[in-house]
Amino acid sequence: MHLKICCLSRVLRRVSRIAMLQRASAVSAVLSMASPTFARDEAGGFSQWIAKFFFGNDVPSDVDAIRVIFSRPLPSWGWFLVVVAAFLVGLWSYRRIATGTTKSSRLFRGCLTIVRATTLVVVALLIAGPMVRFERTRVERDRLVVLVDRSLSMSIKDGPNGESRDDQAAETLEAMRPMLQSVAKSKDIDFVGFAGGAFSLLPNRAAEDTSARASDAATTQVSEFLPALGAATGDRTDLDGALRQALARASGRPLSAVVLLSDGRSAVPISAGVLRGFERDSIPVHTVALGSSKRLGDAAIVSASVPARAFVRDRVPVEVRIDRGGVDRDLSVRIVDETSGVEITRRPVPTSESGEEVSVVLDAVSESAGDRSWRAEIVSDEQDLVRENDARVFAVEFVDRPLRVLYVEGSSRWEYRYFKNLLMREKDLESSIMLLSADRDFAQEGNLPIARLPRTREEFSKYDLFIIGDVPSGFFSPDQLTIMRSEVADRGAGLLWIGGERNTPMSWESTALADLFPFKPPFSLEPRAGVSLIEPTPAAARLGVLRLNDDEDGWPDVLNDTSLRWPQLRYVQDIPRARWKPTAEVLALAEGVGAGAREASPAVMRMRFGAGDVVYVATDEIWRWRYGQGERYPERFWVPLVRLLSREAIARGDARAELVVAPNRVVPGASTVVSLRIVDDESAERAPSVVPVEIRDLSGAAVARVELTRDGADASAMFSPERTGRFVAVADDPAFGRLEATFEVVRADDELRRGDTDHAALSDLSQRTGGQVLNLESLRGLAELLPLRARETDESVERTIWDTWIALTTLLVLLAIEWCGRRLLRLV
């Protein structure tokens, strides 16, 4: 027995030394919490080897240092208490165990006490969540963005020596070469062109990981790849979008500054949000102004709009929007037939003190049917700066068939008597007129007299326009009202309401046609007090209606003469402004006469409803104007309204389907929508699920093919033309026949609408963002103005220790040693 105890004592001495070493390691780990740098070790080969020994291959190789941390750390005094408590627990555990009084027995008990204390400390360490932190830092270089304007306005030659703005930009970049070579040693440089959007001027530069490049390599790249600008072909300038995209292209990387080379012109002004973004991030925008600061002036036609189809001998309104572009001289706009070169009509262009676009409406007439190609052009005594934007070509198809009108009136009021005579007398107009108050033996009037109202959809579809006077809604059946609503919404038929004292609009409030009024319920409208005079609005001039005179104004002064009684209307319904629908527009206002007159209210209102137009006339006293110049004024009031409302019906005509290309004037590369709508149920059933459409040029040669995918009665597809010129989209199928739609692809000239620069905008941009306006001399010192915003990113990796094999092994070894000792003492 004595021999066994002696042998065990020797073993326990060695175990005691191991336990002391482990305890020292634990204390070292404890002290690392009080002094975080204590356990830090520069990541050398030995540290890497130790880390891989514990964690295998899941260890980063590019680390700067390795340190031990805890997820639930304790202060140093806390760990001291843990160690003391563990030692006291060990002493208490073995204080009464009788192992003899010899020196070896006391040592044996002391060793077991140390082993248990060490086990408790290790458990406390594992509970604290020990981890190894592999520290590494990535340095991200900041970026300098050079924005270069690549829009068409850069081709204008207004430089100091007559050079173009594009030549100025190339000269400026060449002058920046030495400065950029210096900046590239510490920053990444992006050359970005912009027009309608931003794009890289260096191929694949956006995809490069430039953060790892050496400074000499960066200098070489800047030297070799100063951008080859090429031709400036952008059709518009969006400086706001370019600055926004320049920020986005950085992809979250630090941006030092932006250098902007531009003439300052932008179709979209720089938004407050973009400016706030630069101000918030303290990113200066340094600008280089190109071009002349003097105002050059250039007039341009912005747009020319005209109905696609019209009736022969119809006065077609052609609205031409013109930007005078700072030109103060007299200008005129005219319509010319492209085929014959004959001038159709001409009107002067009004001045614009505010510099805004002005609208000129010209009335053009064709005496024969067929397609007409007309050109709107600016006429001036002096040559304009940019001739390309002084003309617009458009097409109109004229139909030689009479307008078909259904007029239903409740009683033989004065307006009815004169209005129905106008309809019957008007050339190219066929009317069916029904007077409800007439006797049974009364012969209904009109070119196409009827004995009863239409009842079926086929009977209603014969008419281009429905005119409803002061008629009670109960005279129509619900089916008839539903069909009329569908004819307006789907087929594009027109609807003209003539208000009255008895039934219109008050009796129509709960009917299927209630939505076809340009105002909201309630429909009980009170008459205006006193007498009123009518004054047309600019909306009427744009539509080519209510032009009672041939002069520029179009409205005779005599109708505004308060000293005359015959222009004054005794009955006009008062439509409160609160009831106007948002989509309605006022074509004429009724204004009171005399002191105390009420606020003006609409006399004529217009509203789109589906494919058709609706007009509401709030008076039935236009007949009084006959006392002025006979039928002249009433005829010019009513007939253009009738023709306006009938045009939408012939836009589709009797075709079983409609093919549309919208927009019908695009630039190369832009997207347009080719859409097909089948309006005949039988054709819809027979038509294929995919409808092919050929795109042909004027010679008839096919240049592209588009397949329209059907969704019910509609089919559409996107098409992006690449060539300029006029084209025809052709869809030919037995189900609906041959359909055509013309469109034009032109070089966009929006950028040339105004040639003058906007250097003030560049100066304001630099001032708001803390940048400077630079020239060729001050560009040399640009490097000193660029802040250094390179940032360090902590990419450290942490690995836990408590769940590794070494932690489990350590705990099991300590427990095994204590168990073996207790076994030898026969305690277990």
Side-chain angles (χ1 to χ4, degrees):
M1 182 66 183
H2 180 74
L3 181 60
K4 289 181 179 180
I5 292 176
C6 291
C7 293
L8 182 60
S9 298
R10 294 189 186 96
V11 172
L12 289 178
R13 288 191 190 97
R14 296 181 182 180
V15 171
S16 177
R17 292 190 186 98
I18 296 174
M20 291 296 290
L21 291 175
Q22 291 176 343
R23 184 181 176 195
S25 299
V27 172
S28 298
V30 169
L31 292 177
S32 69
M33 299 310 303
S35 178
T37 59
F38 181 84
R40 179 166 177 164
D41 182 24
E42 296 299 325
F46 180 74
S47 300
Q48 289 283 351
W49 183 87
I50 291 294
K52 289 185 178 181
F53 177 76
F54 283 109
F55 301 102
N57 294 325
D58 190 22
V59 175
S61 58
D62 53 340
V63 297
D64 302 325
I66 300 175
R67 55 179 296 196
V68 177
I69 60 174
F70 290 88
S71 60
R72 293 176 290 275
L74 289 177
S76 56
W77 58 267
W79 285 111
F80 176 77
L81 294 178
V82 168
V83 174
V84 171
F87 185 74
L88 292 177
V89 169
L91 287 177
W92 180 79
S93 300
Y94 291 99
R95 71 186 188 281
R96 294 183 178 179
I97 297 177
T99 57
T101 58
T102 63
K103 181 178 180 181
S104 59
S105 298
R106 290 194 301 272
L107 179 60
F108 186 77
R109 187 172 60 182
C111 289
L112 290 178
T113 300
I114 293 173
V115 170
R116 173 159 292 192
T118 303
T119 302
L120 294 176
V121 171
V122 169
V123 171
L125 287 172
L126 295 180
I127 293 175
M131 296 183 293
V132 175
R133 180 182 177 88
F134 301 93
E135 296 184 347
R136 57 181 180 180
T137 303
R138 181 173 62 89
V139 178
E140 189 175 21
R141 304 208 311 172
D142 55 352
R143 183 180 295 260
L144 171 67
V145 176
V146 181
L147 281 173
V148 186
D149 195 340
R150 307 309 303 138
S151 59
L152 277 173
S153 63
M154 298 293 288
S155 62
I156 298 177
K157 297 181 179 180
D158 62 343
N161 301 318
E163 72 275 16
S164 67
R165 300 170 188 175
D166 207 15
D167 294 336
Q168 286 184 281
E171 181 182 355
T172 301
L173 285 176
E174 187 61 34
M176 293 172 63
R177 182 193 295 268
M179 181 272 297
L180 293 177
Q181 290 178 344
S182 174
V183 170
K185 297 178 180 179
S186 58
K187 302 178 186 296
D188 294 332
I189 302 177
D190 268 355
F191 294 98
V192 180
F194 71 93
F199 52 90
S200 178
L201 290 176
L202 292 181
N204 301 322
R205 185 170 180 81
E208 294 178 3
D209 184 11
T210 54
S211 62
R213 291 180 305 175
S215 60
D216 56 343
T219 303
T220 302
Q221 286 201 7
V222 171
S223 177
E224 293 178 353
F225 292 99
L226 274 179
L229 298 180
T233 57
D235 54 13
R236 67 191 298 265
T237 304
D238 184 359
L239 186 53
D240 177 75
L243 292 171
R244 194 185 304 273
Q245 291 182 46
L247 290 175
R249 287 170 63 90
S251 301
R253 300 180 61 183
L255 186 59
S256 175
V258 174
V259 178
L260 174 62
L261 282 66
S262 175
D263 55 13
R265 295 189 64 254
S266 178
V268 181
I270 302 174
S271 63
V274 170
L275 289 174
R276 284 195 298 268
F278 279 94
E279 293 171 355
R280 180 186 63 249
D281 299 335
S282 300
I283 301 174
V285 179
H286 304 287
T287 57
V288 179
L290 305 176
S292 174
S293 59
K294 297 181 180 179
R295 188 179 181 90
L296 301 177
D298 175 60
I301 293 180
V302 179
S303 64
S305 57
V306 64
R309 303 181 77 186
F311 292 99
V312 172
R313 291 175 291 277
D314 192 1
R315 298 174 62 182
V316 181
V318 181
E319 182 187 15
V320 182
R321 296 194 63 82
I322 299 174
D323 184 357
R324 294 188 68 99
V327 177
D328 298 328
R329 61 183 181 271
D330 293 337
L331 299 175
S332 297
V333 60
R334 66 176 184 173
I335 305 297
V336 178
D337 189 298
E338 283 235 293
T339 304
S340 63
V342 176
E343 179 179 316
I344 300 173
T345 183
R346 176 192 295 228
R347 287 195 64 188
V349 178
T351 59
S352 176
E353 297 180 358
S354 60
E356 297 178 353
E357 298 173 358
V358 294
S359 178
V360 181
V361 179
L362 303 94
D363 293 333
V365 179
S366 176
E367 297 294 335
S368 58
D371 294 332
R372 294 289 179 269
S373 179
W374 289 347
R375 182 178 69 253
E377 61 182 21
I378 295 175
V379 181
S380 175
D381 296 334
E382 301 178 15
Q383 184 175 354
D384 206 17
L385 178 65
V386 182
R387 294 293 300 172
E388 289 85 348
N389 57 20
D390 290 348
R392 281 287 190 278
V393 178
F394 52 91
V396 185
E397 181 185 356
F398 286 91
V399 178
D400 190 7
R401 74 160 177 84
L403 288 73
R404 294 185 286 265
V405 178
L406 173 63
Y407 178 22
V408 183
E409 184 59 79
S411 62
S412 182
R413 52 182 176 168
W414 287 105
E415 195 67 58
Y416 161 78
R417 299 178 186 181
Y418 293 111
F419 184 32
K420 57 99 175 176
N421 290 336
L422 288 177
L423 295 178
M424 291 188 295
R425 188 172 60 246
E426 181 68 16
K427 189 178 181 180
D428 302 327
L429 193 150
E430 294 180 349
S431 58
S432 299
I433 302 173
M434 173 161 282
L435 182 64
L436 303 185
S437 62
D439 296 334
R440 187 181 296 268
D441 298 334
F442 177 78
Q444 299 291 350
E445 300 181 87
N447 308 95
L448 298 174
I450 56 176
R452 60 171 177 81
L453 285 177
R455 297 174 181 173
T456 64
R457 186 177 300 274
E458 289 73 17
E459 292 177 347
F460 275 104
S461 64
K462 297 177 181 179
Y463 298 100
D464 303 312
L465 172 64
F466 306 112
I467 303 176
I468 300 179
D470 196 15
V471 179
S473 61
F475 182 76
F476 296 87
S477 69
D479 290 341
Q480 288 175 316
L481 297 180
T482 302
I483 293 174
M484 290 177 64
R485 177 189 177 100
S486 174
E487 288 291 299
V488 175
D490 299 332
R491 189 170 61 87
L495 177 60
L496 174 60
W497 298 95
I498 303 178
E501 299 182 33
R502 298 180 180 179
N503 301 295
T504 302
M506 63 185 66
S507 69
W508 296 84
E509 185 167 330
S510 301
T511 67
L513 296 186
D515 293 337
L516 276 69
F517 285 88
F519 46 85
K520 297 177 290 188
F523 286 169
S524 55
L525 301 179
E526 297 294 331
R528 291 177 57 86
V531 296
S532 302
L533 298 176
I534 288 184
E535 182 73 24
T537 65
R542 176 174 53 83
L543 296 172
V545 296
L546 305 186
R547 295 183 57 83
L548 276 58
N549 264 358
D550 294 328
D551 57 14
E552 181 179 346
D553 183 39
W555 191 257
D557 295 334
V558 68
L559 293 181
N560 295 328
D561 191 348
T562 58
S563 64
L564 301 175
R565 292 178 58 85
W566 62 265
Q568 300 176 8
L569 308 182
R570 272 65 171 175
Y571 176 78
V572 179
Q573 295 171 340
D574 189 11
I575 305 176
R577 181 180 293 272
R579 300 187 196 175
W580 301 1
K581 289 185 177 180
T583 57
E585 57 182 345
V586 178
L587 303 185
L589 288 170
E591 300 177 352
V593 178
R598 297 178 59 181
E599 180 185 5
S601 64
V604 183
M605 299 184 73
R606 171 183 177 265
M607 180 186 73
R608 291 285 297 180
F609 188 82
D613 270 350
V614 177
V615 169
Y616 185 86
V617 180
T619 181
D620 60 356
E621 296 207 340
I622 302 300
W623 61 272
R624 292 184 179 276
W625 293 349
R626 296 180 68 254
Y627 292 106
Q629 293 191 13
E631 300 288 350
R632 174 184 174 87
Y633 292 153
E635 180 179 352
R636 291 201 170 189
F637 179 90
W638 287 114
V639 172
L641 286 176
V642 169
R643 291 185 173 273
L644 168 69
L645 293 171
S646 302
R647 289 189 195 118
E648 290 297 332
I650 65 168
R652 182 177 298 132
D654 298 328
R656 289 172 288 175
E658 180 184 16
L659 184 65
V660 177
V661 179
N664 59 4
R665 184 180 176 90
V666 294
V667 298
S671 295
T672 186
V673 179
V674 183
S675 58
L676 173 72
R677 179 173 178 80
I678 304 174
V679 297
D680 181 68
D681 292 338
E682 182 181 357
S683 299
E685 294 178 359
R686 296 170 51 199
S689 59
V690 177
V691 180
V693 176
E694 280 193 346
I695 309 298
R696 302 178 181 178
D697 56 22
L698 294 183
S699 66
V703 297
R705 180 184 175 91
V706 182
E707 292 187 345
L708 311 186
T709 303
R710 284 189 55 190
D711 182 9
D714 298 317
S716 63
M718 300 290 290
F719 172 64
S720 298
E722 299 297 335
R723 292 168 43 187
T724 59
R726 298 185 63 186
F727 300 91
V728 180
V730 180
D732 194 353
D733 190 272
F736 48 75
R738 180 184 175 90
L739 302 173
E740 294 184 358
T742 61
F743 65 98
E744 188 176 9
V745 183
V746 296
R747 180 179 61 84
D749 57 359
D750 289 350
E751 195 49 34
L752 300 178
R753 282 174 50 186
R754 187 174 301 157
D756 48 304
T757 60
D758 192 355
H759 292 176
L762 297 178
S763 177
D764 181 68
L765 174 62
S766 295
Q767 183 179 2
R768 290 283 302 272
T769 59
Q772 295 186 14
V773 179
L774 306 174
N775 52 33
L776 291 179
E777 295 296 327
S778 55
L779 275 173
R780 300 175 182 175
L782 177 61
E784 301 175 0
L785 303 176
L786 302 178
L788 182 61
R789 290 205 171 99
R791 62 189 179 194
E792 295 183 352
T793 304
D794 185 9
E795 296 184 350
S796 300
V797 178
E798 297 176 352
R799 298 288 184 266
T800 57
I801 298 177
W802 63 269
D803 57 350
T804 60
W805 66 270
I806 191 64
L808 179 61
T809 302
T810 301
L811 188 60
L812 291 177
V813 167
L814 291 173
L815 293 175
I817 292 174
E818 185 177 2
W819 184 85
C820 292
R822 294 172 64 87
R823 182 72 175 177
L824 291 175
L825 293 177
R826 297 183 179 181
L827 296 178
V828 294

